[in-house]
Amino acid sequence: MTTLADPVPGGRPGDVERATALSAELTGRGVHGIVLAYVDTAGIGRVKTIPTAKLASAVAWGVGMSPVFDTFLANDSIVSTDVLGSPDGDLRLYPDLDHLVVLSGQPGWAWVPVDRVTQEGERHPGCSRTFLRRIVTAAADRHGISFKAGIEIEWAVGQGSAPGDDFVPAVQGPAYGATRQVELSDCTAELLAALAAQGVDVDQLHPEYAAGQFEISVGALDPVAAADRSVLVRQTIRAVSQRHGLRVSFAPAVFAEGVGNGGHVHLSAWREGRNLHSGGKGRYGMTAEAESFAAGLLAHLPALTAVTAPSPAGYLRLKPSQWAGVFTAWGRETRESAVRVITGTVGHRDQAANLEVKPVDLAANPYIALGCLIAAGLDGLESSASLPDEITGDPARFGAEEAATRGVRRLPASLDEAVEEFRKDELLRAALGPALADAVIAVRLGEIAAVAGLDDGQVAAAYRWKY
Ligand code: GLU
Ligand code: MG
């Protein structure tokens, strides 16, 4: 479980002693440096690193980093809001020791997620990890509800020797094909070994649909740990692949056409150890609260798209009939609806039942995305929102009239549209707080401006190697 208490100057009780012992142990294991990791508003992983001997000092006093990264774009240019993006000021990166991992994929290194705190010891309003902890804490306090989450990871494996920024698939075998599995056998075996050594509970790994594409799914955890894990797993995939001469892309659209890389989110709400998505009187065993939670997600999805698909390239992926779930609809195991209700297999439903949210990609900051998804679901739960009828099949076949009758909406077809929806969504903006909500808008507008005048192929190329 993730510690939900904020870091404090001097360290939380016991932290410094723990870090001192840990750094000695890590040094003995040949760990020379520690990667301090966080994700910016644009969804780019940013880091600082420290020698292992500095861990106790980092836990007590943090490690400095400018707040300007809250308004960095994927191309490293900088926008600003009225409070963020200035060259002034400093923040302290505080490692969360509960989630420190020795990196098997990068010998000599450990990795740890950080919370960002001001020099006065206060929460930094732009810190997305702090935001998610706050949302999770509030859900527990107000509703006695906790969550389990898992983020699927799809990625494309390219030849490291491909010229320039081209993507040349490293495998030729068919989708889900045995050939493709054999072609990447050495690399994926090493990947599974590295993840196991890092304590990552992998559910499955398979060759996916698009050129060079693979997918991994991991066990569900509390939301903060699930977001941390998503960042860690991608770091490991990248590192192991690089050792095999391969280059990987987690971009939503490696090419302008065809199926992209998703980052589907699995989410379930629990109270006192009981899964609210199973054993209830609602449809497919959902409790009334779980149905309302799903209704809240559907209602806010158009605005949520601004945080679940934050890159202009995300809208090359978010097209009908590409399994990305671009309609505000739900169905049991319906893979073209935005929300797929998963019951699990009979006998295992109390553990396995959950909601899968599909219009999410891996350009999303996972802390912001999960926090906003939970806030949206809780809004439905608090207002006892009613879940519309389910759909079956592909909603793309509905004419305008049928879609309207069923309450099925196409999600934003561009980042511009998503930002307009997000601006109108007071609940999501309030959940994020003004500093982070304004940063989301400023960074999205910056990304839109950065690709102005580019055609779809150029947009895909601009983001191909960013995530
Ligand atoms: N690649 C698809 C996406 O972009 C998902 C395929 C699947 O259902 O696993 O969301
Ligand atoms: Mg998939």
Side-chain angles (χ1 to χ4, degrees), residues 152 154 208 213 215 259-262 264 317 322-324 358:
E152 294 180 1
E154 293 184 328
E208 251 289 347
Q213 196 179 35
E215 173 175 339
V259 170
N261 288 323
H264 303 176
R317 164 184 172 256
Q322 294 195 168
W323 305 328
K358 288 182 169 281

Side-chain angles (χ1 to χ4, degrees), residues 235-253:
Q235 174 107 3
T236 307
I237 291 171
R238 191 183 304 284
V240 171
S241 303
Q242 199 166 299
R243 289 158 78 84
H244 286 264
L246 303 166
R247 196 175 184 195
V248 297
S249 172
F250 300 97

Side-chain angles (χ1 to χ4, degrees), residues 15-372:
D15 272 0
V16 172
E17 295 76 5
R18 190 174 162 202
T20 305
L22 190 55
S23 78
E25 184 205 318
L26 293 174
T27 303
R29 290 172 65 185
V31 174
H32 308 297
I34 301 174
V35 180
L36 309 185
Y38 71 96
V39 183
D40 73 12
T41 319
I44 302 291
R46 307 273 178 196
V47 301
K48 277 217 167 166
T49 76
I50 53 170
T52 305
K54 287 284 160 63
L55 184 61
S57 152
V59 158
W61 309 114
V63 171
M65 195 155 190
S66 164
V68 78
F69 292 95
D70 290 315
T71 50
F72 256 51
L73 304 183
N75 67 8
D76 295 341
S77 62
I78 306 167
V79 295
S80 62
T81 69
D82 52 352
V83 293
L84 293 171
S86 140
D88 305 330
D90 189 43
L91 290 170
R92 312 306 297 174
L93 309 181
Y94 273 83
D96 183 343
L97 294 181
D98 287 342
H99 294 285
L100 186 144
V101 170
V102 175
L103 290 174
S104 303
Q106 287 173 260
W109 288 96
W111 176 96
V112 68
V114 298
D115 292 304
R116 295 182 298 150
V117 173
T118 70
Q119 286 176 312
E120 294 0 282
E122 288 154 2
R123 290 172 169 178
H124 171 51
C127 176
S128 57
R129 194 170 187 271
T130 305
F131 156 68
L132 179 55
R133 280 190 294 113
R134 187 163 55 70
I135 293 287
V136 168
T137 307
D141 291 348
R142 296 230 303 269
H143 304 286
I145 288 181
S146 60
F147 295 92
K148 287 189 188 176
I151 302 174
E152 294 180 1
I153 294 178
E154 293 184 328
W155 77 101
V157 186
Q159 296 174 13
S161 56
D165 282 338
D166 289 357
F167 175 85
V168 179
V171 290
Q172 264 66 53
Y176 306 92
T179 311
R180 200 186 285 194
Q181 193 279 326
V182 174
E183 287 177 284
L184 211 68
S185 188
D186 288 347
C187 177
T188 46
E190 205 178 296
L191 175 61
L192 289 174
L195 291 171
Q198 291 172 192
V200 175
D201 158 37
V202 172
D203 279 340
Q204 46 172 296
L205 167 64
H206 65 266
E208 251 289 347
Y209 188 83
Q213 196 179 35
F214 283 76
E215 173 175 339
I216 198 161
S217 44
V218 297
L221 295 172
D222 74 77
V224 177
D228 291 342
R229 180 176 270 185
S230 172
V231 179
L232 170 67
V233 170
R234 280 178 270 164
Q235 174 107 3
T236 307
I237 291 171
R238 191 183 304 284
V240 171
S241 303
Q242 199 166 299
R243 289 158 78 84
H244 286 264
L246 303 166
R247 196 175 184 195
V248 297
S249 172
F250 300 97
V254 177
F255 295 112
E257 302 296 330
V259 170
N261 288 323
H264 303 176
V265 167
H266 291 263
L267 192 58
S268 52
W270 297 67
R271 183 182 286 113
E272 290 165 3
R274 191 168 118 57
N275 185 347
L276 299 183
H277 304 268
S278 164
K281 294 194 174 72
R283 283 159 280 182
Y284 303 117
M286 285 187 274
T287 62
E289 285 181 312
E291 283 205 359
S292 293
F293 187 87
L297 282 175
L298 288 177
H300 289 282
L301 262 180
L304 281 164
T305 313
V307 295
T308 61
S311 160
Y315 297 82
L316 302 171
R317 164 184 172 256
L318 284 181
K319 290 181 181 155
S321 313
Q322 294 195 168
W323 305 328
V326 299
F327 293 96
T328 61
W330 74 278
R332 182 186 182 197
E333 301 290 4
T334 302
R335 287 177 167 78
E336 286 294 351
S337 59
V339 174
R340 168 186 171 203
V341 167
I342 297 175
T343 57
T345 308
V346 65
H348 188 46
R349 294 189 171 152
D350 56 337
Q351 295 304 309
N354 71 88
L355 302 173
E356 181 186 40
V357 185
K358 288 182 169 281
V360 187
D361 64 45
L362 299 169
N365 173 315
Y367 305 95
I368 295 179
L370 280 174
C372 286

